[in-house]
Short mmCIF file of all heavy atoms in Angstrom, two decimals:
data_model
loop_
_atom_site.label_atom_id
_atom_site.label_comp_id
_atom_site.label_asym_id
_atom_site.label_seq_id
_atom_site.Cartn_x
_atom_site.Cartn_y
_atom_site.Cartn_z
N GLY A 1 -46.93 67.43 -39.03
CA GLY A 1 -46.82 68.15 -37.76
C GLY A 1 -45.60 69.05 -37.77
O GLY A 1 -44.63 68.77 -38.49
N GLY A 2 -45.64 70.10 -36.98
CA GLY A 2 -44.57 71.10 -37.01
C GLY A 2 -43.32 70.67 -36.25
O GLY A 2 -42.23 71.21 -36.46
N THR A 3 -43.44 69.68 -35.35
CA THR A 3 -42.28 69.22 -34.58
C THR A 3 -42.16 67.71 -34.73
O THR A 3 -43.11 67.04 -35.16
CB THR A 3 -42.46 69.54 -33.08
OG1 THR A 3 -43.61 68.79 -32.60
CG2 THR A 3 -42.67 71.02 -32.83
N THR A 4 -40.99 67.19 -34.34
CA THR A 4 -40.77 65.73 -34.40
C THR A 4 -41.82 65.00 -33.56
O THR A 4 -42.37 63.98 -33.98
CB THR A 4 -39.36 65.38 -33.86
OG1 THR A 4 -38.43 66.23 -34.50
CG2 THR A 4 -38.99 63.95 -34.15
N THR A 5 -42.14 65.57 -32.39
CA THR A 5 -43.12 64.93 -31.50
C THR A 5 -44.51 64.94 -32.12
O THR A 5 -45.24 63.94 -32.07
CB THR A 5 -43.14 65.67 -30.14
OG1 THR A 5 -41.81 65.77 -29.67
CG2 THR A 5 -43.98 64.94 -29.12
N ALA A 6 -44.87 66.08 -32.74
CA ALA A 6 -46.20 66.18 -33.38
C ALA A 6 -46.31 65.19 -34.55
O ALA A 6 -47.35 64.56 -34.74
CB ALA A 6 -46.43 67.61 -33.86
N ARG A 7 -45.21 65.06 -35.29
CA ARG A 7 -45.23 64.12 -36.43
C ARG A 7 -45.34 62.69 -35.92
O ARG A 7 -46.09 61.88 -36.49
CB ARG A 7 -43.97 64.30 -37.29
CG ARG A 7 -43.99 65.60 -38.08
CD ARG A 7 -42.91 65.64 -39.15
NE ARG A 7 -41.56 65.82 -38.62
CZ ARG A 7 -41.02 66.99 -38.33
NH1 ARG A 7 -41.72 68.11 -38.50
NH2 ARG A 7 -39.78 67.06 -37.89
N ALA A 8 -44.62 62.38 -34.85
CA ALA A 8 -44.69 61.03 -34.27
C ALA A 8 -46.11 60.72 -33.80
O ALA A 8 -46.63 59.61 -33.98
CB ALA A 8 -43.71 60.90 -33.12
N LYS A 9 -46.78 61.75 -33.22
CA LYS A 9 -48.17 61.57 -32.75
C LYS A 9 -49.10 61.26 -33.94
O LYS A 9 -49.93 60.35 -33.88
CB LYS A 9 -48.63 62.84 -32.03
CG LYS A 9 -50.05 62.73 -31.46
CD LYS A 9 -50.41 63.98 -30.65
CE LYS A 9 -51.80 63.86 -30.02
NZ LYS A 9 -52.88 63.78 -31.01
N ALA A 10 -48.90 62.00 -35.04
CA ALA A 10 -49.73 61.76 -36.23
C ALA A 10 -49.50 60.35 -36.77
O ALA A 10 -50.45 59.65 -37.15
CB ALA A 10 -49.40 62.80 -37.31
N LEU A 11 -48.25 59.89 -36.75
CA LEU A 11 -47.93 58.55 -37.25
C LEU A 11 -48.50 57.47 -36.35
O LEU A 11 -48.98 56.44 -36.83
CB LEU A 11 -46.42 58.38 -37.40
CG LEU A 11 -45.77 59.25 -38.49
CD1 LEU A 11 -44.25 59.24 -38.37
CD2 LEU A 11 -46.18 58.77 -39.88
N THR A 12 -48.50 57.72 -35.02
CA THR A 12 -49.08 56.72 -34.11
C THR A 12 -50.59 56.62 -34.33
O THR A 12 -51.17 55.54 -34.21
CB THR A 12 -48.80 57.03 -32.62
OG1 THR A 12 -49.33 58.30 -32.30
CG2 THR A 12 -47.33 56.98 -32.31
N GLU A 13 -51.23 57.73 -34.68
CA GLU A 13 -52.68 57.69 -34.98
C GLU A 13 -52.94 56.83 -36.22
O GLU A 13 -53.92 56.07 -36.28
CB GLU A 13 -53.22 59.11 -35.19
CG GLU A 13 -53.37 59.88 -33.89
CD GLU A 13 -53.80 61.33 -34.10
OE1 GLU A 13 -53.59 61.87 -35.20
OE2 GLU A 13 -54.33 61.91 -33.14
N ILE A 14 -52.05 56.95 -37.21
CA ILE A 14 -52.21 56.13 -38.43
C ILE A 14 -51.99 54.66 -38.09
O ILE A 14 -52.73 53.79 -38.56
CB ILE A 14 -51.25 56.60 -39.54
CG1 ILE A 14 -51.56 58.05 -39.95
CG2 ILE A 14 -51.37 55.70 -40.77
CD1 ILE A 14 -50.53 58.69 -40.87
N VAL A 15 -50.99 54.38 -37.26
CA VAL A 15 -50.74 52.99 -36.84
C VAL A 15 -51.97 52.43 -36.14
O VAL A 15 -52.41 51.30 -36.42
CB VAL A 15 -49.50 52.91 -35.92
CG1 VAL A 15 -49.41 51.54 -35.23
CG2 VAL A 15 -48.23 53.14 -36.72
N ASN A 16 -52.55 53.21 -35.23
CA ASN A 16 -53.78 52.77 -34.54
C ASN A 16 -54.90 52.47 -35.51
O ASN A 16 -55.61 51.47 -35.39
CB ASN A 16 -54.24 53.84 -33.54
CG ASN A 16 -53.49 53.74 -32.22
OD1 ASN A 16 -53.16 52.65 -31.78
ND2 ASN A 16 -53.21 54.88 -31.61
N LEU A 17 -55.05 53.35 -36.50
CA LEU A 17 -56.11 53.18 -37.50
C LEU A 17 -55.87 51.90 -38.31
O LEU A 17 -56.78 51.07 -38.46
CB LEU A 17 -56.14 54.40 -38.43
CG LEU A 17 -56.99 54.33 -39.69
CD1 LEU A 17 -58.44 54.01 -39.37
CD2 LEU A 17 -56.92 55.63 -40.47
N VAL A 18 -54.64 51.72 -38.79
CA VAL A 18 -54.32 50.55 -39.62
C VAL A 18 -54.43 49.26 -38.80
O VAL A 18 -54.86 48.22 -39.30
CB VAL A 18 -52.92 50.70 -40.27
CG1 VAL A 18 -52.46 49.40 -40.92
CG2 VAL A 18 -52.94 51.82 -41.30
N ASP A 19 -54.09 49.34 -37.50
CA ASP A 19 -54.16 48.15 -36.66
C ASP A 19 -55.60 47.70 -36.41
O ASP A 19 -55.85 46.54 -36.12
CB ASP A 19 -53.46 48.42 -35.32
CG ASP A 19 -53.17 47.13 -34.57
OD1 ASP A 19 -52.56 46.21 -35.18
OD2 ASP A 19 -53.58 47.00 -33.41
N GLN A 20 -56.55 48.63 -36.54
CA GLN A 20 -57.96 48.28 -36.32
C GLN A 20 -58.58 47.54 -37.50
O GLN A 20 -59.65 46.96 -37.40
CB GLN A 20 -58.79 49.55 -36.11
CG GLN A 20 -58.58 50.21 -34.77
CD GLN A 20 -59.33 51.54 -34.74
OE1 GLN A 20 -60.43 51.66 -35.26
NE2 GLN A 20 -58.70 52.54 -34.15
N ILE A 21 -57.92 47.62 -38.65
CA ILE A 21 -58.52 47.04 -39.86
C ILE A 21 -58.61 45.52 -39.73
O ILE A 21 -57.63 44.85 -39.42
CB ILE A 21 -57.68 47.39 -41.11
CG1 ILE A 21 -57.62 48.91 -41.31
CG2 ILE A 21 -58.23 46.71 -42.36
CD1 ILE A 21 -56.64 49.36 -42.38
N GLU A 22 -59.82 45.01 -39.95
CA GLU A 22 -60.00 43.56 -39.96
C GLU A 22 -59.68 43.07 -41.36
O GLU A 22 -60.23 43.57 -42.33
CB GLU A 22 -61.45 43.21 -39.63
CG GLU A 22 -61.90 43.60 -38.24
CD GLU A 22 -63.40 43.44 -38.10
OE1 GLU A 22 -63.86 42.29 -38.17
OE2 GLU A 22 -64.10 44.45 -37.95
N TYR A 23 -58.77 42.11 -41.44
CA TYR A 23 -58.33 41.63 -42.75
C TYR A 23 -59.12 40.42 -43.24
O TYR A 23 -58.87 39.91 -44.31
CB TYR A 23 -56.84 41.26 -42.70
CG TYR A 23 -55.92 42.45 -42.74
CD1 TYR A 23 -56.40 43.75 -42.77
CD2 TYR A 23 -54.54 42.27 -42.75
CE1 TYR A 23 -55.54 44.83 -42.80
CE2 TYR A 23 -53.68 43.35 -42.79
CZ TYR A 23 -54.18 44.63 -42.81
OH TYR A 23 -53.34 45.70 -42.85
N LYS A 24 -60.07 39.96 -42.43
CA LYS A 24 -60.85 38.78 -42.83
C LYS A 24 -62.33 39.11 -42.78
O LYS A 24 -62.77 39.91 -41.96
CB LYS A 24 -60.58 37.63 -41.85
CG LYS A 24 -59.12 37.21 -41.74
CD LYS A 24 -58.81 36.06 -42.66
CE LYS A 24 -57.45 35.44 -42.38
NZ LYS A 24 -56.33 36.16 -42.96
N ASP A 25 -63.10 38.49 -43.70
CA ASP A 25 -64.55 38.71 -43.64
C ASP A 25 -65.18 37.69 -42.68
O ASP A 25 -64.48 36.93 -42.01
CB ASP A 25 -65.18 38.65 -45.04
CG ASP A 25 -65.09 37.26 -45.67
OD1 ASP A 25 -64.72 36.30 -44.97
OD2 ASP A 25 -65.39 37.14 -46.87
N GLU A 26 -66.52 37.68 -42.64
CA GLU A 26 -67.20 36.81 -41.66
C GLU A 26 -66.95 35.32 -41.92
O GLU A 26 -67.12 34.49 -41.04
CB GLU A 26 -68.72 37.10 -41.59
CG GLU A 26 -69.45 37.16 -42.91
CD GLU A 26 -69.26 38.50 -43.65
OE1 GLU A 26 -68.69 39.44 -43.09
OE2 GLU A 26 -69.68 38.57 -44.81
N ASN A 27 -66.51 34.97 -43.14
CA ASN A 27 -66.19 33.56 -43.43
C ASN A 27 -64.70 33.26 -43.28
O ASN A 27 -64.23 32.20 -43.67
CB ASN A 27 -66.61 33.22 -44.88
CG ASN A 27 -68.07 33.50 -45.10
OD1 ASN A 27 -68.89 33.16 -44.25
ND2 ASN A 27 -68.42 34.13 -46.21
N GLY A 28 -63.97 34.23 -42.74
CA GLY A 28 -62.52 34.02 -42.55
C GLY A 28 -61.70 34.21 -43.82
O GLY A 28 -60.53 33.89 -43.87
N LYS A 29 -62.35 34.74 -44.87
CA LYS A 29 -61.65 34.92 -46.15
C LYS A 29 -60.86 36.23 -46.11
O LYS A 29 -61.34 37.23 -45.61
CB LYS A 29 -62.70 34.97 -47.27
CG LYS A 29 -62.13 34.88 -48.66
CD LYS A 29 -63.25 34.55 -49.67
CE LYS A 29 -62.72 34.56 -51.09
NZ LYS A 29 -62.79 35.87 -51.72
N ASP A 30 -59.66 36.18 -46.65
CA ASP A 30 -58.80 37.36 -46.64
C ASP A 30 -59.35 38.43 -47.60
O ASP A 30 -59.52 38.18 -48.78
CB ASP A 30 -57.39 36.95 -47.10
CG ASP A 30 -56.38 38.06 -46.91
OD1 ASP A 30 -56.81 39.19 -46.66
OD2 ASP A 30 -55.17 37.79 -47.00
N ILE A 31 -59.66 39.61 -47.05
CA ILE A 31 -60.21 40.68 -47.91
C ILE A 31 -59.26 41.89 -47.96
O ILE A 31 -59.64 42.96 -48.39
CB ILE A 31 -61.62 41.14 -47.43
CG1 ILE A 31 -61.60 41.44 -45.92
CG2 ILE A 31 -62.67 40.12 -47.80
CD1 ILE A 31 -62.88 42.09 -45.41
N LEU A 32 -58.02 41.65 -47.52
CA LEU A 32 -57.06 42.75 -47.48
C LEU A 32 -56.87 43.41 -48.85
O LEU A 32 -56.90 44.63 -48.97
CB LEU A 32 -55.71 42.21 -46.99
CG LEU A 32 -54.55 43.19 -47.00
CD1 LEU A 32 -54.86 44.38 -46.12
CD2 LEU A 32 -53.28 42.53 -46.54
N GLY A 33 -56.69 42.58 -49.88
CA GLY A 33 -56.50 43.12 -51.22
C GLY A 33 -57.66 43.99 -51.65
O GLY A 33 -57.46 45.07 -52.23
N ARG A 34 -58.87 43.55 -51.34
CA ARG A 34 -60.06 44.31 -51.73
C ARG A 34 -60.11 45.65 -51.00
O ARG A 34 -60.47 46.68 -51.58
CB ARG A 34 -61.33 43.50 -51.46
CG ARG A 34 -61.57 42.43 -52.51
CD ARG A 34 -62.82 41.65 -52.21
NE ARG A 34 -64.01 42.50 -52.20
CZ ARG A 34 -65.13 42.18 -51.57
NH1 ARG A 34 -65.22 41.06 -50.89
NH2 ARG A 34 -66.16 42.99 -51.60
N ILE A 35 -59.76 45.62 -49.71
CA ILE A 35 -59.76 46.87 -48.93
C ILE A 35 -58.75 47.84 -49.53
O ILE A 35 -59.02 49.03 -49.70
CB ILE A 35 -59.44 46.58 -47.45
CG1 ILE A 35 -60.56 45.76 -46.81
CG2 ILE A 35 -59.23 47.87 -46.68
CD1 ILE A 35 -60.23 45.22 -45.43
N TYR A 36 -57.59 47.31 -49.86
CA TYR A 36 -56.52 48.13 -50.43
C TYR A 36 -56.98 48.78 -51.74
O TYR A 36 -56.79 49.97 -51.97
CB TYR A 36 -55.30 47.24 -50.68
CG TYR A 36 -53.98 47.97 -50.64
CD1 TYR A 36 -53.46 48.41 -49.43
CD2 TYR A 36 -53.24 48.19 -51.79
CE1 TYR A 36 -52.23 49.05 -49.37
CE2 TYR A 36 -52.01 48.83 -51.74
CZ TYR A 36 -51.51 49.26 -50.53
OH TYR A 36 -50.31 49.89 -50.48
N GLU A 37 -57.63 47.96 -52.57
CA GLU A 37 -58.09 48.46 -53.87
C GLU A 37 -59.20 49.51 -53.69
O GLU A 37 -59.22 50.52 -54.38
CB GLU A 37 -58.61 47.27 -54.69
CG GLU A 37 -58.83 47.55 -56.15
CD GLU A 37 -57.55 47.66 -56.96
OE1 GLU A 37 -56.48 47.25 -56.47
OE2 GLU A 37 -57.62 48.17 -58.08
N TYR A 38 -60.10 49.28 -52.75
CA TYR A 38 -61.15 50.27 -52.45
C TYR A 38 -60.53 51.60 -52.04
O TYR A 38 -60.96 52.66 -52.46
CB TYR A 38 -62.04 49.79 -51.30
CG TYR A 38 -63.22 48.95 -51.68
CD1 TYR A 38 -63.57 47.83 -50.92
CD2 TYR A 38 -64.02 49.27 -52.77
CE1 TYR A 38 -64.67 47.04 -51.25
CE2 TYR A 38 -65.11 48.48 -53.10
CZ TYR A 38 -65.43 47.37 -52.34
OH TYR A 38 -66.51 46.61 -52.67
N LEU A 39 -59.51 51.52 -51.18
CA LEU A 39 -58.88 52.75 -50.71
C LEU A 39 -58.19 53.49 -51.85
O LEU A 39 -58.26 54.71 -51.95
CB LEU A 39 -57.87 52.44 -49.59
CG LEU A 39 -58.49 52.18 -48.21
CD1 LEU A 39 -57.43 51.77 -47.21
CD2 LEU A 39 -59.24 53.41 -47.69
N ILE A 40 -57.51 52.73 -52.72
CA ILE A 40 -56.87 53.37 -53.88
C ILE A 40 -57.93 54.09 -54.71
O ILE A 40 -57.76 55.22 -55.14
CB ILE A 40 -56.11 52.32 -54.74
CG1 ILE A 40 -54.87 51.84 -53.99
CG2 ILE A 40 -55.70 52.91 -56.08
CD1 ILE A 40 -54.11 50.72 -54.68
N LYS A 41 -59.08 53.43 -54.88
CA LYS A 41 -60.17 54.03 -55.66
C LYS A 41 -60.70 55.30 -54.98
O LYS A 41 -60.94 56.32 -55.64
CB LYS A 41 -61.30 53.01 -55.82
CG LYS A 41 -62.45 53.51 -56.68
CD LYS A 41 -63.59 52.52 -56.73
CE LYS A 41 -64.76 53.15 -57.45
NZ LYS A 41 -65.96 52.36 -57.37
N GLU A 42 -60.89 55.23 -53.66
CA GLU A 42 -61.39 56.41 -52.93
C GLU A 42 -60.41 57.58 -53.04
O GLU A 42 -60.80 58.71 -53.28
CB GLU A 42 -61.63 56.08 -51.45
CG GLU A 42 -62.84 55.23 -51.18
CD GLU A 42 -64.14 55.89 -51.59
OE1 GLU A 42 -64.24 57.13 -51.55
OE2 GLU A 42 -65.07 55.17 -51.98
N PHE A 43 -59.12 57.27 -52.87
CA PHE A 43 -58.11 58.33 -52.99
C PHE A 43 -58.11 58.88 -54.42
O PHE A 43 -57.92 60.07 -54.63
CB PHE A 43 -56.72 57.82 -52.60
CG PHE A 43 -56.50 57.75 -51.11
CD1 PHE A 43 -56.24 56.54 -50.48
CD2 PHE A 43 -56.55 58.90 -50.34
CE1 PHE A 43 -56.05 56.48 -49.10
CE2 PHE A 43 -56.36 58.85 -48.96
CZ PHE A 43 -56.11 57.64 -48.34
N ALA A 44 -58.33 57.98 -55.39
CA ALA A 44 -58.35 58.41 -56.79
C ALA A 44 -59.52 59.36 -57.04
O ALA A 44 -59.34 60.44 -57.61
CB ALA A 44 -58.46 57.20 -57.71
#
């Protein structure tokens, strides 16, 4: 963003996005690592 306020707004959107991520599957198993790896692959 071009200003401090605009940059803060962009960062709050990322925080909102990351906060929505469910870290457990339907059996309560932690899938955080898998999500992280998938994202690395997608970015790659």
Side-chain angles (χ1 to χ4, degrees):
T3 63
T4 310
T5 309
R7 289 192 287 276
K9 182 175 183 296
L11 292 168
T12 59
E13 285 176 338
I14 298 170
V15 167
N16 277 325
L17 169 57
V18 170
D19 195 53
Q20 286 174 39
I21 299 171
E22 295 170 66
Y23 283 2
K24 301 265 191 280
D25 66 10
E26 49 281 352
N27 303 316
K29 192 165 175 271
D30 189 347
I31 50 171
L32 174 60
R34 282 180 61 202
I35 294 170
Y36 207 72
E37 193 74 15
Y38 272 138
L39 282 175
I40 289 175
K41 183 184 173 189
E42 286 298 329
F43 281 118

